[in-house]
Amino acid sequence: MLKELHDRPEIYDLLERRGAELCAGAPAGVTVNRVGSMFTFFFTPDPVTDYASAKRSNVEEFKRFFHHMLDHGVYLAPSQFEAAFVSAALTDEDVAHTKRATSMFRS
């Protein structure tokens, strides 16, 4: 893997773009914490900067979101307090599908 990353440094730009695109489609009222290809949706409108602020998130709403996404073929980590990671294997079609599924949440 390290050799592949060394030989294809553009992969980091791809992961950055995909992460930004997915997070831009977060549901309304959600705080997104993202670094590169790692992100978490916190179901709170307030900033999340530490464990105490993360615990104020609406875990029941996250649970509904998790199951909604699963019903639409998108598997996320099942806990509000776990990060998601964007893979270089994700295609443009995968990203579009994920954004569509996200946009249907609460509609």
Side-chain angles (χ1 to χ4, degrees):
M1 186 74 221
L2 293 176
K3 181 175 179 352
E4 183 73 17
L5 291 171
H6 178 269
D7 294 346
R8 295 182 54 209
E10 70 278 2
I11 203 80
Y12 293 107
D13 292 332
L14 172 68
L15 292 171
E16 174 67 29
R17 283 192 312 276
R18 294 236 194 276
E21 188 175 0
L22 286 170
C23 290
V30 168
T31 293
V32 179
N33 285 7
R34 181 179 76 86
V35 176
S37 64
M38 180 177 70
F39 66 93
T40 303
F41 289 171
F42 290 99
F43 280 75
T44 177
D46 303 319
V48 175
T49 57
D50 55 19
Y51 181 67
S53 54
K55 282 192 56 128
R56 289 192 288 272
S57 298
N58 185 336
V59 292
E60 287 302 313
E61 189 70 353
F62 178 84
K63 180 179 174 181
R64 286 183 357 87
F65 178 69
F66 169 80
H67 286 285
H68 165 84
M69 296 301 283
L70 198 57
D71 289 344
H72 289 85
V74 178
Y75 182 78
L76 301 171
S79 171
Q80 167 73 83
F81 305 106
E82 294 181 66
F85 296 87
V86 176
S87 167
L90 222 59
T91 65
D92 290 339
E93 183 179 295
D94 295 328
V95 171
H97 174 81
T98 302
K99 289 173 64 177
R100 276 192 306 277
T102 302
S103 71
M104 292 186 288
F105 183 66
R106 298 185 187 141
S107 331

